[in-house]
Amino acid sequence: MNTRLPLADQRAVRDWVWRTALANRGAYAVMMALFISATVVGLAGPQLLGMLVDSVVAGASTVRVDVLAGVFLAVLVAQALLARAARMRATLLGEQLLAKSREGVVGHALRLPLSTVESAGTGDLLSRSTTDVDRLDYTVRSAVPEITVALITLLLTAVAMVVTSPLLACGMLIAVPLIVLSTRWYYPRARPVLQGVLAGWAEVQSSTHESVEGARTVDALRLSERRIAHNERVLGNAVGKEKRHRNLLTIWLPCLEMSYVLPIGAILLIGGWAYAAGSVELGTITTVVLYAQAMSNPLDELLAWIDELQIGNAALRRILGVGRAPVSGPGEGGAAVERDRGHDLSVRGVRFSYREGQEILHGVDLTVGAGKRLVIVGPSGAGKSTLGRLVAGVNAPDSGSVAFGDTEITSLPTDRLRREVVLLTQEHHVFACSLRDNLCLPAGDDGWSDERLLAALETVGLGEWASRLPEGLATVLGAGGHPVPAAVAQQIALARVMLADPHTLVLDEATSLLDNETSRDLERSMSTLLAGRTVIAIAHRLHAARDADQVAVMESGRIVELGTHAELLAAGGSYAELHRAATPERA
């Protein structure tokens, strides 16, 4: 069942902001000092221009006018340089936070249980680690300093306006009711809409990712038109949410524009009356009007950036929400299966469903001795892969138990479980890095010797292939590197598992992409390494069952036959029928 990853609450957002501010207080202080300096220097411009107007009206000398004009030009240059330095600092700080945020999201996502990742969908994770992190970066790099500078600019400009002429400054009051009422109307409505916008685009990214990943399947089944229609519906939903946000803006933004124009008109009316009465000079009116004009820009930026701040807040809730998803099951810190491989696997009364009311497994009972090999066969949809996922701890049963000895699978910490029990499916991935790095993934930072890596490749039948690579183990594979056929990628995945050395191995059609002869050769060469391990092999080729200690036949979510290859053939049941049906194909 598809579920969304959680969202962080506002308290978690505030805690993150506080921790981030403390950790970067030095860089933030320098950035803000530069922004404030640029603002203070910029406030001198209207005063100089007012003095210039009064000097011209009073018939001052050209030298005074030239000096004032030169100082005014120097102020503009100084303000531009300070603003540039401030934005450079803001960009550097934003990039640092961008890197840390993305690393944190990806690092936590890699520790999530597979069931959580599959349930949420890779598109949601991709959206949170890319689009949402970019939005957060934009907010930190631009919105936060711009809002701070806008507030400081408004405050200092208002003080300068009142000092210049308290009477003319009263004209600004006409904007207050319009700004307050329109903003109080807009923000409560915009918050849930913006949250929906981010979720909508995350769904678009998820749908696009699924379409690209499954392009061959879509083409093979001629489902292109249906998939295009689905993508259009998802995109239409996201665009519809964007339109709802734009509809709110079409009401709010005109109100803001009116609040910028009306004060200037009011100041001019008051100034005209006061000038006629001899209460103010023309230069004073010019200065106050310029201040009013200057206030409109930071006020506009303040309200616009606060809107951006809401988007950043929604993005941050989604980013921090990844960290709220538990990285382990309810048994975090519980007992671990020992590596002596001395525990039997027991499945007792297991029932499981992906969706409520659609049970897949119906009371499965099974015991596999430590170090034994069980092959599970049966028709498609019988529940074989689902049982394998429960044995590997990917999913927890709805009822019943899956345990090694007395230790429940669900009680194990995820990181320990992944080291001890490995699930290898027909799905595989070759990373865009060297063959050595591809093989050393299970080793973490320790790595393994080249001799051990080459031995693992030889075991899975890739010794000759590896020897032909242009740079040996250093050859870069994957996108932009040396091409890797699907069958070879599956063998590389098998080599990783051998190097990881788990005590229990669940193979879910792990050799399905190999031809019959290669598959048989591989299984024979792996027999030495598989010795002593508990192996649960889900197979569609019955030859894999010949050498198994036990064969389980599944039908409709139940085990209907259990025994050795010879015993089941002699019984003449479902397995014997499957064997007879497969004989012409094998021949």
Side-chain angles (χ1 to χ4, degrees):
M1 181 170 57
N2 187 269
T3 58
R4 294 188 180 277
L5 291 170
L7 297 176
D9 54 24
Q10 289 300 328
R11 181 177 179 180
V13 170
R14 289 192 296 269
D15 290 343
W16 182 90
V17 171
W18 178 249
R19 291 194 307 271
T20 302
L22 287 178
N24 300 276
R25 56 185 178 274
Y28 188 78
V30 172
M31 178 188 72
M32 292 313 305
L34 289 170
F35 272 120
I36 293 171
S37 299
T39 303
V40 172
V41 170
L43 290 175
Q47 290 287 351
L48 290 169
L49 197 57
M51 293 171 61
L52 186 61
V53 171
D54 285 341
S55 297
V56 172
V57 172
S61 65
T62 56
V63 174
R64 176 178 172 80
V65 172
D66 290 343
V67 169
L68 288 173
V71 174
F72 178 72
L73 181 61
V75 165
L76 293 180
V77 173
Q79 182 189 20
L81 292 175
L82 288 170
R84 181 180 181 279
R87 284 182 169 79
M88 180 65 72
R89 289 282 183 172
T91 300
L92 292 175
L93 178 60
E95 289 301 320
Q96 291 173 0
L97 293 179
L98 171 67
K100 291 179 180 178
S101 299
R102 183 161 289 155
E103 288 171 1
V105 172
V106 174
H108 193 90
L110 291 175
R111 295 194 300 271
L112 291 176
L114 291 178
S115 56
T116 301
V117 175
E118 292 177 353
S119 179
T122 54
D124 192 17
L125 278 171
L126 284 173
S127 176
R128 295 188 188 219
S129 60
T130 54
T131 305
D132 291 336
V133 172
D134 287 339
R135 290 180 185 271
L136 177 63
D137 166 58
Y138 186 63
T139 298
V140 172
R141 185 174 57 186
S142 302
V144 173
E146 292 289 352
I147 288 173
T148 306
V149 170
L151 286 171
I152 294 172
T153 303
L154 286 172
L155 178 61
L156 295 178
T157 305
V159 171
M161 186 181 293
V162 172
V163 170
T164 303
S165 176
L167 176 63
L168 297 180
C170 292
M172 292 299 300
L173 297 176
I174 193 172
V176 174
L178 192 57
I179 292 175
V180 171
L181 292 177
S182 63
T183 302
R184 285 176 62 87
W185 174 87
Y186 169 74
Y187 280 121
R189 291 168 174 79
R191 189 174 296 112
V193 172
L194 290 173
Q195 190 68 54
V197 167
L198 293 183
W201 288 115
E203 192 174 0
V204 169
Q205 190 162 8
S206 177
S207 179
T208 303
H209 178 263
E210 291 172 354
S211 298
V212 172
E213 286 290 311
R216 292 182 179 178
T217 302
V218 170
D219 183 58
L221 298 178
R222 287 182 280 184
L223 298 174
S224 300
E225 293 184 3
R226 183 183 301 180
R227 194 64 198 176
I228 291 172
H230 171 75
N231 288 340
E232 288 179 347
R233 284 195 301 272
V234 172
L235 182 60
N237 179 54
V239 171
K241 293 176 180 178
E242 286 279 9
K243 287 182 178 178
R244 284 196 287 274
H245 182 223
R246 296 296 183 267
N247 289 337
L248 295 176
L249 291 177
T250 57
I251 298 174
W252 183 52
L253 292 180
C255 294
L256 295 184
E257 293 297 330
M258 289 293 295
S259 67
Y260 308 150
V261 175
L262 291 178
I264 296 176
I267 290 172
L268 289 174
L269 288 175
I270 297 173
W273 170 79
Y275 180 73
S279 301
V280 296
E281 297 179 352
L282 189 60
T284 303
I285 297 175
T286 302
T287 301
V288 174
V289 169
L290 287 174
Y291 276 139
Q293 180 66 38
M295 286 186 72
S296 65
N297 187 47
L299 184 60
D300 189 24
E301 288 188 357
L302 174 65
L303 295 171
W305 282 114
I306 287 179
D307 191 45
E308 185 65 38
L309 193 64
Q310 286 203 103
I311 297 177
N313 176 71
L316 182 56
R317 290 184 64 199
R318 287 169 55 81
I319 292 169
L320 297 179
V322 177
R324 292 173 63 87
V327 298
S328 193
E332 178 69 38
V337 177
E338 298 177 6
R339 296 188 67 89
D340 63 4
R341 301 181 172 95
H343 298 281
D344 293 346
L345 167 66
S346 61
V347 179
R348 293 288 176 265
V350 165
R351 295 180 178 273
F352 179 78
S353 58
Y354 292 103
R355 293 180 176 84
E356 187 175 354
Q358 299 181 20
E359 194 171 76
I360 305 298
L361 300 180
H362 314 291
V364 174
D365 291 296
L366 183 65
T367 300
V368 182
K372 300 297 184 180
R373 184 176 182 185
L374 170 73
V375 172
I376 304 176
V377 299
S380 177
K384 304 186 300 296
S385 295
T386 299
L387 180 58
R389 290 168 62 88
L390 266 62
V391 171
V394 175
N395 297 99
D398 297 337
S399 62
S401 69
V402 180
F404 287 96
D406 297 327
T407 304
E408 286 281 342
I409 286 290
T410 53
S411 71
L412 296 176
T414 301
D415 57 346
R416 185 60 185 267
L417 175 62
R418 293 292 164 258
R419 291 195 300 268
E420 307 293 353
V421 184
V422 171
L423 168 67
L424 184 63
T425 70
Q426 55 190 321
E427 299 175 5
H428 47 270
H429 184 73
V430 174
F431 294 87
C433 56
S434 69
L435 174 58
R436 180 184 292 106
D437 291 337
N438 264 281
L439 294 174
C440 286
L441 286 171
D445 297 330
D446 299 332
W448 286 306
S449 66
D450 288 357
E451 291 75 14
R452 185 171 179 181
L453 300 181
L454 292 172
L457 291 172
E458 189 68 37
T459 300
V460 299
L462 288 181
E464 184 179 350
W465 175 82
S467 66
R468 294 197 304 267
L469 293 176
E471 298 179 49
L473 292 174
T475 303
V476 176
L477 308 179
H482 190 82
V484 179
V488 173
Q490 200 164 58
Q491 288 169 280
I492 290 175
L494 287 168
R496 288 194 199 113
V497 173
M498 295 302 99
L499 290 164
D501 191 29
H503 69 63
T504 298
L505 187 59
V506 181
L507 302 175
D508 187 356
E509 297 187 359
T511 59
S512 60
L513 298 179
L514 308 180
D515 58 68
N516 284 341
E517 190 62 33
T518 303
S519 178
R520 291 191 190 95
D521 292 342
L522 175 61
E523 288 169 5
R524 283 194 294 267
S525 63
M526 288 175 61
S527 60
T528 302
L529 279 175
L530 293 180
R533 305 178 197 275
T534 303
V535 179
I536 312 297
I538 298 165
H540 66 291
R541 291 174 175 145
L542 293 187
H543 72 77
R546 287 177 174 272
D547 301 322
D549 296 297
Q550 280 186 304
V551 179
V553 181
M554 290 195 68
E555 291 181 4
S556 303
R558 292 180 173 85
I559 294 178
V560 295
E561 287 188 302
L562 182 64
T564 65
H565 170 73
E567 289 172 348
L568 296 183
L569 281 182
S574 299
Y575 182 78
E577 292 180 6
L578 288 172
H579 190 270
R580 282 195 296 271
T583 300
E585 178 185 346
R586 295 201 336 268

